[in-house]
Amino acid sequence: LSVWQSLNCLAWNWTSGMKLAVALGFWQQVTGTEAVLYYSADFLEHAGLESPTQRLLGNCFVGLCKLIPELIAMQMVDQIGRRPHMLASAVSLMVSTFLLSASFYWNWPPIYVVLLLCAVMASFSMGLGPFTFLVASECLGLTERAWGVTVAAAANRLTSGAVALTSVSLYEGLGSSSFFALYGFIGFLSLPFYYTYLPETSGQSLEDLAAARNQQRQDSNGAGAGMESQSQPQRTVYLDSPPPSPGTPKHQVLPTSSP
């Protein structure tokens, strides 16, 4: 019963922090980086690398370009901030994906395809990869953090699975250039979300972030209560005398009894 009660609470009590966490989990994966990670060897083969050894080396190089930027970003995130890292990551991911589409469209040499695949993974790893769930957890209150991160992870994994399962069909149906152009356009659509809703949580403790959220909720609740009170009609309150009878005129003052 407690599980169903918790699910019912989850269905009806979506806070702004939970909505942001789920959106961050969704947008991290919908830009197609899982397809690059899983099928980079196939992309390199279509780009002209016929040797299995060359494809293996290219695939290893792509993996290194995913790991090394994460290690660098970990050392710089507190100095630069979460928001600049993730905005720069989203923009560079979009640009590198569009360039990857152009490389297949104009049949650039395979080395350019390898470098652009590395650029896609490096762009992802400099911000969106390591800091999505960090920001999501910092935007959630203590009582909602467990549910919020769980639902955000579920949305993230479902999106990742959908991208991985549809990549081969989309690649064969659209062609290599249109395939990456599609994910570049999705990356372009993610930019307004990150620019508008992504907060800066660097340099603030969890207690400070919780206090700011509580103050924001109190302000919104106070504004809503003020609007509700203004919409209600004014009523006369009689403190020292009983209310007038129905037959008494509105402006007649009722006498009060002397002590």
Side-chain angles (χ1 to χ4, degrees):
L1 180 61
S2 61
V3 174
W4 289 110
Q5 289 176 348
S6 300
L7 289 174
N8 188 43
C9 264
L10 177 65
W12 294 104
N13 296 320
W14 281 79
T15 63
S16 59
M18 292 182 67
K19 294 176 183 177
L20 177 61
V22 171
L24 286 171
F26 168 77
W27 283 110
Q28 185 202 46
Q29 293 297 331
V30 77
T31 49
T33 53
E34 291 293 281
V36 175
L37 184 63
Y38 293 156
Y39 303 108
S40 59
D42 296 329
F43 300 149
L44 293 175
E45 182 180 4
H46 293 163
L49 290 180
E50 299 179 356
S51 170
T53 303
Q54 291 178 340
R55 292 197 300 270
L56 177 62
L57 291 175
N59 203 14
C60 293
F61 196 52
V62 171
L64 286 175
C65 289
K66 184 179 186 299
L67 174 63
I68 295 175
E70 288 184 352
L71 300 177
I72 297 174
M74 287 169 54
Q75 306 298 322
M76 302 174 61
V77 62
D78 288 327
Q79 289 77 23
I80 298 178
R82 278 76 157 149
R83 180 179 168 87
H85 265 285
M86 295 185 69
L87 287 176
S89 176
V91 172
S92 60
L93 178 61
M94 177 199 67
V95 172
S96 56
T97 306
F98 274 128
L99 288 176
L100 191 57
S101 172
S103 69
F104 281 99
Y105 184 79
W106 281 297
N107 295 320
W108 292 356
I111 185 61
Y112 290 102
V113 177
V114 173
L115 293 176
L116 287 172
L117 286 172
C118 293
V120 168
M121 297 313 303
S123 299
F124 177 77
S125 297
M126 67 183 289
L128 298 181
F131 304 136
T132 290
F133 283 96
L134 172 64
V135 175
S137 63
E138 290 176 339
C139 292
L140 292 166
L142 182 61
T143 57
E144 62 187 5
R145 189 167 298 145
W147 270 119
V149 173
T150 300
V151 178
N156 183 270
R157 291 297 88 197
L158 287 173
T159 309
S160 172
V163 169
L165 289 173
T166 58
S167 293
V168 175
S169 300
L170 286 175
Y171 190 80
E172 293 176 352
L174 297 176
S176 53
S177 178
S178 299
F179 174 80
F180 288 108
L182 172 64
Y183 283 116
F185 180 71
I186 294 175
F188 173 77
L189 294 179
S190 72
L191 297 181
F193 164 76
Y194 285 119
Y195 184 81
T196 304
Y197 297 106
L198 183 66
E200 178 55 77
T201 58
S202 179
Q204 304 180 61
S205 65
L206 295 177
E207 291 77 10
D208 294 337
L209 293 170
R213 283 191 299 271
N214 292 334
Q215 184 62 39
Q216 184 178 6
R217 291 174 184 172
Q218 291 176 2
D219 293 342
S220 61
N221 292 336
M227 294 178 61
E228 182 180 357
S229 63
Q230 291 177 4
S231 63
Q232 294 178 352
Q234 298 294 328
R235 293 182 296 177
T236 305
V237 179
Y238 299 88
L239 299 178
D240 298 327
S241 61
S245 60
T248 305
K250 293 182 179 179
H251 300 290
Q252 179 179 350
V253 179
L254 294 177
T256 58
S257 59
S258 59

